[in-house]
Amino acid sequence: MSSERLAALLDEYAELERRLADPAIHADQGTARRVGRRYAELVPLHKAAGELEQARADLVAARELAAEDATFAAEADTIAASLPALEERLAELLIPRDPHDAKDVIVEIKAGEGGEESALFAGDLLRMYTRYAERHGWVTEVIDAQDSDLGGVKDVSLAIKSKGVPEGGNGVWSRLKWEGGVHRVQRVPVTESQGRIHTSAAGVLVLPEAEDVDVTIDPNELRIDVFRSSGPGGQSVNTTDSAVRITHVPTGIVVSCQNEKSQLQNREQAMRILRARLLAAAQEQADAAASDARKAQVRTVDRSERIRTYNFPQNRITDHRIGYTAYNLDLALAGELDGVLDALAEADRAARLAGETELSRR
């Protein structure tokens, strides 16, 4: 356990507490929100450190009393037995956490190979995440969507936000960051007349939503094009050039948005997605430059691989990264995802602990 790191974080906690007590900070809601989120992240650490310090003090007192009165010996033994769990809890909280855990997210879902069936599955994933958000009291907003002819979605961007400051700094990203990758479905498509099972897939990209202070964008590095919106089948749904396509020239990242009726609104929504993608790209570069041990702590999921299979005939959901399998696909699609997400979070926690142990041996 790093005493220097603990002392620094407790000092930061005290400073944040002082800032939040100052009414002046609430004049800037953006700053107040960022300080509040960081404070919430440190609350569990402050509590755990206080509980451990108190338990150690109680142990000293109980042993002193036991020297004069043997009836206090059992109390001292009970307190001593509780210390390892308190120390382990504090050690876990001292492991560097994902810096984006408190953030909201933008989820992008794209239909893959499989035509209409893939688009219908993408629509199923959209409803799954929307229902999961509802279960957690989060707010959802469709930023942009391209529907398919049969009611699916070819491409959709969904913003998911927590209400207020997330407890313990565990925001939407801390739960949904595992969802990025290729999702595969096995079922009989509605377009299949022979009753044969088909396999298709949809891609999911989860991005922490960036604030203005997270990413600096030079307007001179943007190429902005406007065009007319279109609906299913390609027919025009707008007679004005309200759709917006933004290209970030240095990185080649291209974002388009056509959901809103005005060009200004579409531009604002496209900029939200662009900021999130630039933040994610910067994080990936930082991870790639880190040591192998550090990377093991930061990210254990390859977001480019096939991560999960949804098998309808068997009512089975399988996450291939951790070998998780459950036969409750119907419930998962209804938004009950905590089983697989808890398993992924536990696998990541174990990897972070292993990475920290490896670093401490060097």
Side-chain angles (χ1 to χ4, degrees), residues 106-346:
I106 294 176
V107 180
E108 298 184 1
I109 307 172
K110 298 180 184 295
E113 296 181 1
E116 280 294 339
E117 165 61 8
S118 179
L120 289 170
F121 177 53
D124 291 337
L125 294 177
L126 172 62
R127 285 184 289 275
M128 180 180 74
Y129 294 129
T130 300
R131 289 165 180 168
Y132 182 75
E134 291 171 351
R135 288 175 179 272
H136 285 262
W138 298 333
V139 179
T140 60
E141 173 196 2
V142 175
I143 298 176
D144 192 46
Q146 296 182 42
D147 298 330
S148 69
D149 292 329
L150 296 183
V153 290
K154 298 177 181 177
D155 192 345
V156 62
S157 297
L158 177 73
I160 306 179
K161 295 178 173 291
S162 58
K163 295 180 180 178
V165 176
E167 183 177 352
N170 296 314
V172 183
W173 172 259
S174 72
R175 294 300 286 169
L176 294 185
K177 59 185 174 182
W178 323 110
E179 294 303 288
V182 177
H183 295 240
R184 184 178 67 172
V185 63
Q186 296 172 328
R187 65 182 176 188
V188 179
V190 295
T191 56
E192 169 59 53
S193 60
Q194 302 297 319
R196 294 172 296 186
I197 296 173
H198 287 225
T199 298
S200 60
V204 175
L205 179 65
V206 184
L207 305 168
E209 181 151 17
E211 300 179 43
D212 290 339
V213 296
D214 296 324
V215 177
T216 300
I217 300 177
D218 184 349
N220 295 321
E221 295 178 341
L222 301 179
R223 185 172 69 245
I224 301 176
D225 304 304
V226 296
F227 57 98
R228 292 187 180 181
S229 302
S230 61
Q235 71 266 28
S236 175
V237 296
N238 198 330
T239 57
T240 61
D241 292 335
S242 62
V244 174
R245 181 184 300 108
I246 299 178
T247 303
H248 186 248
V249 177
T251 61
I253 294 175
V254 179
V255 177
S256 62
C257 190
Q258 63 176 3
N259 247 37
E260 305 296 338
K261 294 183 178 179
S262 79
Q263 186 181 121
L264 178 60
Q265 289 174 313
N266 281 323
R267 177 169 175 166
E268 291 175 350
Q269 298 287 48
M271 286 298 293
R272 286 176 65 184
I273 300 174
L274 177 61
R275 280 194 295 269
R277 289 190 184 179
L278 288 173
L279 178 62
Q283 185 65 52
E284 288 177 2
Q285 290 178 356
D287 292 347
S291 67
D292 290 341
R294 176 63 183 146
K295 282 190 289 185
Q297 295 177 52
V298 174
R299 181 164 296 169
T300 59
V301 175
D302 181 351
R303 297 167 191 272
S304 65
E305 66 181 3
R306 182 196 69 198
I307 64 168
R308 192 174 297 154
T309 294
Y310 304 74
N311 185 292
F312 276 70
Q314 299 177 15
N315 196 36
R316 171 173 56 84
I317 179 171
T318 299
D319 195 288
H320 304 287
R321 295 164 292 184
I322 56 174
Y324 174 93
T325 294
Y327 293 88
N328 61 351
L329 175 57
D330 52 339
L331 297 178
L333 291 175
E336 295 187 20
L337 282 173
D338 281 326
V340 62
L341 295 182
D342 286 344
L344 285 161
E346 176 57 28

Side-chain angles (χ1 to χ4, degrees), residues 18-48:
R18 183 194 65 77
R19 292 182 66 186
L20 288 172
D22 184 355
I25 194 175
H26 299 288
D28 183 343
Q29 289 300 310
T31 299
R33 184 169 56 253
R34 287 191 296 276
V35 172
R37 284 179 175 175
R38 179 56 177 163
Y39 178 79
E41 289 178 5
L42 294 178
V43 164
L45 175 73
H46 178 264
K47 181 180 178 181

